[in-house]
Each structure stands twice: as structure tokens, then as C-alpha cells.
Amino acid sequence: MRKTILAAAVSLSLVLSAPSAFAATHPIQHHSGGDHRPEHHQHPDIDWSAAPADIRALKAQLDQLRAEQKGLYEQMRQQRDRIKSAHRGLSEEKRQALSGEAKEQMKQLFEASKALRELKDKTHAAWDEFYKHSQAKEWTAAKKDMESIIALKREAVAKQKNVVLIQQRLAELIKK
């Protein structure tokens, strides 16, 4: 049972930091012209130069948040690898001893994963609205949509930073 709990914690860490997690939260590359978006989120590319300056400024903020998220996902991936490696090196006795302590981190990782999925869904919905309003040149509504997207991204960044901290605690626990 204890081995299962620790293994589940490591597995969750893998799920949270997998490259597919990055792709799941960033499937729409609104600022690039590639055709690499999932079908259910196909939108015509936006001519950002035609958007008002305040929306372009918001897009710049969004680009900064995306870069920060990319860095966080890289940290999560690296920590996942360290946790996985450390876990492999543990004896069965040590795994059992750690399972109780790891249970809380595992619970926190599950909660963070769920929250990130919910934020991803909300972000997709906000992008859908932004595209609809920007295509109709309803810039006031589009600006509100972009502000919502940025708020959701900031919330996701905060949750991802928390995942990094949880992973660090889990890695330290395994190292003991």
C-alpha cells in the first residue's frame, strides 16, 4: 500500500510535468501562423497589427506569461526526472517508510492537476470568445476576453509554481 502511494505520487508528478501537459495547456498558438492546433479549436489567424494598441499590449503580456509557463514546465520536467531517478534508487524499506509522508504531497499534486485542467478548459472558452469578438471587430469585448485569458494564465502560472514547490518537497523527502 505504501509503495503504491509513493509510486502514485511519482506517476502524478510525471503526468503534471509531461510535455503533453504543456501541449494540453497551450494547444492554440495564437501568435503564430502554423496549423498545429487541435481541430476543435480551429480559428482563423488574427492579424494582430489590425488590433488596437491596447489589445496588442495585452498580447505582449500573454506572450510573457507563455514564456514563464514554458520555463515552469521545463522545471517540472527536470524535477520529475530527478524524482523518478531517486525513486528507482530507494530500497523497498525506504519506500514504505516514505509513503506516509509522501501522501500529502500526492494529494496536493492531484488537486493541482485537477485545477490546471479546469483552468485549461476556461482558457479555451475565453479564446473562443476572443476569436469571435475579434473577427467581428468588437474590440471592447475582445479586450475583455483577452484580459480574462491573461487572468486565467496568471492563475495557471501560480498553480504551476505551486506544483514546482510540491515536487521540490517530494524530491527532498525522497533524498532523505
Side-chain angles (χ1 to χ4, degrees):
M1 171 73 174
R2 294 172 194 233
K3 179 181 175 183
T4 305
I5 292 172
L6 189 58
V10 171
S11 297
L12 180 61
S13 177
L14 292 171
V15 168
L16 285 173
S17 60
S20 62
F22 181 77
T25 13
H26 302 322
I28 304 173
Q29 297 296 324
H30 301 282
H31 60 286
S32 65
D35 191 21
H36 50 288
R37 296 173 243 182
E39 279 188 42
H40 67 283
H41 283 286
Q42 286 291 333
H43 297 286
D45 288 329
I46 292 179
D47 179 9
W48 290 101
S49 63
D54 54 347
I55 291 180
R56 289 193 313 264
L58 290 172
K59 182 192 174 297
Q61 286 180 32
L62 182 62
D63 289 343
Q64 289 174 340
L65 286 168
R66 281 189 176 140
E68 186 175 0
Q69 280 188 306
K70 185 176 181 180
L72 286 168
Y73 275 115
E74 180 60 24
Q75 280 184 307
M76 290 165 66
R77 185 193 61 76
Q78 289 172 356
Q79 286 185 157
R80 176 204 65 211
D81 293 344
R82 283 193 294 269
I83 290 169
K84 189 175 179 181
S85 175
H87 182 260
R88 282 188 204 130
L90 292 177
S91 67
E92 184 63 33
E93 222 174 66
K94 182 68 173 177
R95 286 180 187 158
Q96 289 180 2
L98 291 175
S99 67
E101 295 176 57
K103 191 173 185 177
E104 182 60 32
Q105 279 91 5
M106 186 179 79
K107 180 181 175 186
Q108 291 173 358
L109 287 172
F110 278 122
E111 290 169 359
S113 176
K114 181 181 176 188
L116 284 169
R117 280 191 307 273
E118 290 170 0
L119 283 172
K120 177 190 73 164
D121 293 342
K122 290 178 183 177
T123 303
H124 282 285
W127 271 116
D128 289 342
E129 288 300 307
F130 175 79
Y131 273 110
K132 182 173 72 172
H133 291 130
S134 65
Q135 291 303 106
K137 306 233 184 284
E138 297 170 351
W139 297 116
T140 302
K143 180 180 176 184
K144 287 181 183 177
D145 297 333
M146 183 65 80
E147 289 168 343
S148 294
I149 292 165
I150 288 172
L152 291 166
K153 287 289 187 181
R154 283 187 178 138
E155 190 176 344
V157 165
K159 290 190 184 308
Q160 289 165 319
K161 286 179 180 179
N162 188 45
V163 167
V164 168
L165 292 174
I166 295 168
Q167 283 181 320
Q168 286 173 348
R169 288 193 304 260
L170 189 58
E172 289 170 10
L173 181 66
I174 291 173
K175 282 183 183 179
K176 288 183 183 179

